[in-house]
Amino acid sequence: MNDIIKILREFNEARNWEPFHTPENLAKSIAIEAGELLECFQWDSDYDLEALSDEIADVMLYCLMLSDKIGIDIKKEMLRKIEKNGVKYPVETCREE
């Protein structure tokens, strides 16, 4: 993750995009890209793998930029959230016997 964040920082700095990357704008961009991800399935469940992959990558890249901007370790937070979900949804309550 740190390698990708470093590459993203360099990419954005080279283009002087940093002033536009406020937490609010990055959150909006995540939502916009998530909408574009949904467009891949707009009329049916068939999808173009490259287009779908592009949109997933866009969502993830914006999430990484937002986490970097607000100073959280996204890998740590994702693992924390999985653990929290494990408490909220224990296996024994989620499986039919």
Side-chain angles (χ1 to χ4, degrees):
M1 294 288 200
N2 290 334
D3 292 341
I4 296 171
I5 290 170
K6 182 178 183 285
I7 292 166
L8 271 171
R9 284 178 185 162
E10 292 169 357
F11 183 91
N12 292 330
E13 286 171 11
R15 289 155 180 80
N16 196 32
W17 287 350
E18 182 61 26
F20 305 103
H21 289 170
T22 64
E24 178 184 2
N25 285 345
L26 292 169
K28 289 175 189 176
S29 295
I30 292 166
I32 291 164
E33 293 298 338
E36 291 178 12
L37 176 62
L38 282 173
E39 282 183 331
C40 293
F41 301 101
Q42 187 168 9
W43 303 114
D44 56 35
S45 60
D46 292 332
Y47 57 88
D48 176 278
L49 183 59
E50 184 176 357
L52 182 61
S53 297
D54 284 349
E55 298 309 332
I56 291 170
D58 286 341
V59 170
M60 295 297 296
L61 291 169
Y62 276 116
C63 287
L64 285 173
M65 285 189 282
L66 179 56
S67 67
D68 185 46
K69 174 62 76 174
I70 65 173
I72 64 169
D73 178 335
I74 190 65
K75 182 178 177 183
K76 178 181 168 188
E77 293 304 319
M78 288 189 297
L79 293 171
R80 181 193 61 77
K81 183 60 177 172
I82 292 169
E83 186 175 324
K84 187 175 181 178
N85 285 345
V87 172
K88 186 175 181 179
Y89 305 106
V91 171
E92 56 275 3
T93 64
C94 296
R95 296 172 104 20
E96 292 184 29
E97 299 298 325

